[in-house]
Amino acid sequence: MMVHARISQPTDDGQTADPGAAAWITRIDPPIAASGAAAAGPLAGLRFAVKDNIDVAGLPTTAACPAFAREAANHAQVVQRLLDAGAVLVGKTNLDQFACGLNGTRSPYGAVPNSFDARYVSGGSSSGSARVVATGEVDFSLGTDTAGSGRVPAGLNNIVGLKPTKGLISTRGVVPAAQSVDCVSIFARTVELAARVLSVAMGHDAHDPYSRALTPITAPLPPRLRIGVPSTLEFFGDAESAAAFERSLAQLEALGATRVPIDYAPLAEAAALLYESALVAERYAAVRPFFDAHEDEVIEPVRSILARGRQYSAADFVDAQTRLRALAQQAAPMWQNIDILVVPTAPTHYTIEAMRADPVALNQHLGAYTNFVNLLDYAALSVPTCLRSDGLPFGLTLIGPCASDFQLAELGQRLHHATGLTLGATGAPMPAPAALPLVKPAATVKVAVVGAHLSGMPLNGQLTERGATLLREMLTAPQYRLYALPGTVPPKPGMVRVPTGGASLIVEVWEMPATAYGSFVALIPAPLGIGTLTLDDGSSVQGFVCESIALDGAEDITHHGGWRSYIASRQAALA
């Protein structure tokens, strides 16, 4: 295969004249595209890039180490699947060397700067892949994620980072970091596109020893969502991120979620095992032949991390694995009380200068809420939620059990669209929500409310706590009259259909999960009930009706046009 490419050269000091150019190692001209039927595939015409530890036939795979570079004979399996779906490959991106780091400064091809402020790190190791999506140079990209590399750069650059369940996407043709926990990750500016790429990229690969024939869960998460939040949180002195996390949780609560505190200790201990136990030997094993022969060609602190893997025995490795399994058992009961776990994607931002001055400790801080996820076989999705007051991005990571990837995407899309953010660093507006692949829409019921259940009224919580959402305010057909029922607490109206002399009344139409509808109806006291209402556009919905026997002594308030106007008139009379 003949591929024309422009390949970047390493710099003496790891810095480039054009910081944005550091995101790329290889640019392909013309881009690689499949022909024939693929041109009309589900990803037709979308431009993408891949992290340069992923093979592209005819191009060198460097893993950000020039001495390691080797020309790939074949595309990585995931690359081939994307090309076959019509996507167009435009280049290979920079990374922390051998995917060892979470900050984006550990590369001889230059530090990749944050897309919002070039003084700050982009996050890593998939630094270039995140930046080129955030800046709009490509539609989506592939990274890898062993300890958070598919999430931290997303959170720091205001984009979506989808870290799939281990084994869902083949890693054949990917330079391993720690092969038993490696994942190919997806960056995009919207959840919908990330999920669409996943639906194409995933699939069992018998030639990948860690691939699994998994069936993703397709039912949406429950409407009365229980979100686990660590009972103690560390933001390393960053008050901006602490405040952003609270604002982000409030956004989830507005979608009907309830916080449940969880003990983070077993997750934190599991995370520490990745680098502070014999598990680090897997990172050394991934590149052992090259590293033993060319150790001096590896930059610090990557060299020291890989070299540390030599010191452990096989028995040490078994002990570390056994401890990890014990921690997994210790953490498992939390899923009985929560539906998903929610953490900050990254607890803070650091400048490139600060990171270079203290590269190990600050890098560990960035992974405070990421390292345990692959070790414990969870799925995760990093979603932008706000910009801090200093203009830097902040995001949440939604974490679920194995195979919950598309469940997380369904919630993640609702959360992302509720933020009102623009896309990445492009300033482009958020598009309308789109149908997600493989997600079965939940059965819902539309209910028209006319009185105490209106938004802001005393009983509205009976709707919101069941995951109901307000669709719109509408008018009924001109066939109804409204009465203030005496002696009701809180005050309630009764709406009745009449053969003549009716009027159009203001109602709110809400949509709630069908699974919650029965418990809602059970709360409705006589003389009220649920029947079928006709709206002024001719459509019909379920809605509140009243027994006519209850109207004795009731005040006819039809002329107010709705309950809210009537309540306002009473308050004005008392003022």
Side-chain angles (χ1 to χ4, degrees), residues 1-5 7 32 55-60 71-75:
M1 170 180 281
M2 177 66 70
V3 178
H4 300 283
I7 301 173
I32 299 173
D55 284 349
V56 172
L59 294 178
E71 183 174 306
N74 301 292
H75 295 317

Side-chain angles (χ1 to χ4, degrees), residues 404-420:
S404 64
D405 308 78
F406 290 96
Q407 286 187 309
L408 297 178
E410 190 276 331
L411 174 63
Q413 179 170 251
R414 286 193 284 128
L415 174 61
H416 195 197
H417 281 78
T419 66

